[in-house]
Amino acid sequence: MSIDLKGRHFLSMLDLSCEEILAVLDTAKELKSACGTAQAPDRSGFHSAAGSGRLAGKTLAMIFQKPSLRTRVSFETGMTQLGGHAIYLAPTDISLGKRETTEDIAIVLSGYVDIIMARVFGHDIVVDLAKHATVPVINGLSDYEHPCQIMADFQTIIERKGRLDGIKACYIGDGNNVAHSLMLGAARVGMHMTVVCPKGYEPKEEVTKTAGDIGGTTGSKILVTDDMAALGGADVLYTDVWASMGQEDEAEARRKIFRKYCIDGEAMKLADKDAVVLHCLPAHYGDEIDYATSRLPNSAIFDQAENRLHAQKAIMVHLAG
Ligand code: CP
Ligand code: NVA
């Protein structure tokens, strides 16, 4: 499949067509098989096999307004494996929007680096970076979307289920950034997506509408409900923390409201017996997922985490290779 994403930004799952998503996932699979898995790395020429040279001499700037384990380490390691270099910019390093405007940061960084990845509070910040940068900007999580996560999740679903189209996925919990990207990505690739959440914590209406409209053309059914019975026959169960980064003050109140919106033994009984369990991590065991369920053979939560590396390497190769 030949696609050209050179110079493009990746802020939203809507930035890629179905064909482009599948092509990037093909590259991710190729890069993964070239370097072995984290459990069984190809020690003989690990870095050369992992795609070294494809971004030789290139630099990635990584702006973080929030904490991270997976995003920071997988992007930085990915860049090293591709022969490039990554620079971590901690929240206090550049004080985005306080010490300097987003516009000036985008222009200055474009003079030094080949790709900018940013994890931000407001989605408008990644949009603003992309508006003023002359190099590709990647959304490493905003309050609205987490598209890199969903590319890794899609890679994981294909590994476990062989396809995306026609798969029945259920997301249980808060209608947040991860839910948004899942809905928009699912709509693009023809995967059915049901979001089960308490009243008042639904995904943004415009996301549900957009996903529904796109789904109407790709055969993807998009549904939002507060009824856990909607998990019936699901092929994929997905959850995320009830309170996202920046919502820590609401955590206690949310714990009461969200109590039944979790992946546990009861949820597993409702879903298909071979349902894949997904969580973007970090997890709050005992809240949105229980520890025992997270360790079942059906659980692919650590495959997802590993696939962040491969999926993001593929994204960077396509945008800046
Ligand atoms: N899933 C995810 O983005 O993890 P981090 O917050 O650790 O980067
Ligand atoms: N919804 C979570 C995802 C963390 C990877 C958050 O924004 O904190």
Side-chain angles (χ1 to χ4, degrees):
M1 214 181 288
S2 158
I3 54 150
D4 184 5
L5 300 179
K6 206 163 165 50
R8 296 247 299 265
H9 302 300
F10 183 49
L11 308 185
S12 162
M13 288 307 293
L14 293 180
D15 290 338
L16 299 182
S17 67
C18 177
E19 186 194 21
E20 289 166 345
I21 291 170
L22 297 179
V24 173
L25 293 174
D26 278 348
T27 306
K29 182 180 175 187
E30 175 205 317
L31 288 167
K32 182 171 182 174
S33 57
C35 76
T37 66
Q39 286 74 35
D42 173 6
R43 298 289 176 203
S44 58
F46 179 63
H47 292 305
S48 63
S52 177
R54 292 177 81 164
L55 291 181
K58 307 237 166 159
T59 302
L60 166 73
M62 308 190 296
I63 300 173
F64 281 89
Q65 286 191 317
K66 297 178 179 182
S68 169
L69 172 67
R70 281 145 290 271
T71 305
R72 191 247 162 116
V73 178
S74 56
F75 265 105
E76 187 163 338
T77 304
M79 205 56 189
T80 303
Q81 291 184 358
L82 291 166
H85 175 63
I87 300 171
Y88 172 66
L89 297 164
T92 48
D93 282 340
I94 59 173
S95 298
L96 199 149
K98 291 188 197 119
R99 183 170 184 265
E100 206 163 356
T101 65
T102 306
E103 176 176 352
D104 285 7
I105 289 169
I107 296 169
V108 170
L109 282 179
S110 297
Y112 302 141
V113 306
D114 304 280
I115 317 174
I116 299 169
M117 185 278 290
R119 164 165 289 195
V120 296
F121 282 98
H123 189 74
D124 56 315
I125 298 172
V126 277
V127 172
D128 209 22
L129 279 171
K131 183 173 159 199
H132 299 289
T134 55
V135 298
V137 174
I138 298 173
N139 178 2
L141 180 145
S142 68
D143 59 353
Y144 202 67
E145 276 208 54
H146 195 3
C148 293
Q149 178 68 53
I150 274 51
M151 293 300 285
D153 301 339
F154 281 0
Q155 185 176 2
T156 309
I157 293 169
I158 291 171
E159 287 170 356
R160 293 274 178 142
K161 293 285 174 192
R163 67 198 165 96
L164 295 171
D165 63 303
I167 290 289
K168 185 181 174 197
C170 281
Y171 172 94
I172 302 114
D174 186 27
N176 61 15
N177 44 7
V178 170
H180 288 171
S181 290
L182 269 175
M183 292 167 83
L184 296 170
R188 276 278 194 252
V189 300
M191 187 167 87
H192 307 307
M193 188 78 231
T194 300
V195 174
V196 188
C197 53
K199 283 200 168 67
Y201 294 88
E202 294 88 355
K204 295 250 183 271
E205 260 173 44
E206 75 262 17
V207 173
T208 304
K209 180 170 183 336
T210 303
D213 289 349
I214 296 170
T217 67
T218 61
S220 152
K221 286 186 216 122
I222 305 292
L223 178 74
V224 177
T225 174
D226 64 349
D227 185 358
M228 286 290 281
L231 270 54
D235 301 307
V236 173
L237 294 183
Y238 196 126
T239 192
D240 182 17
V241 290
W242 291 333
S244 286
M245 290 179 277
Q247 297 173 330
E248 289 78 6
D249 293 353
E250 297 175 39
E252 256 331 292
R254 281 175 176 247
R255 192 165 276 131
K256 294 186 188 81
I257 296 163
F258 280 80
R259 195 174 308 279
K260 69 172 179 174
Y261 295 93
C262 63
I263 302 183
D264 58 6
E266 290 306 306
M268 294 302 289
K269 276 188 220 153
L270 287 170
D272 183 80
K273 69 173 179 31
D274 296 321
V276 179
V277 173
L278 299 180
H279 191 312
C280 57
L281 302 179
H284 293 159
Y285 296 115
D287 282 353
E288 76 277 358
I289 191 165
D290 65 71
Y291 181 82
T293 305
S294 78
R295 262 59 180 175
L296 291 173
N298 294 39
S299 170
I301 63 176
F302 296 114
D303 300 298
Q304 282 176 275
E306 183 194 322
N307 284 338
R308 293 292 299 278
L309 171 69
H310 311 299
Q312 289 158 191
K313 280 169 70 179
I315 293 164
M316 292 193 288
V317 162
H318 278 281
L319 300 186

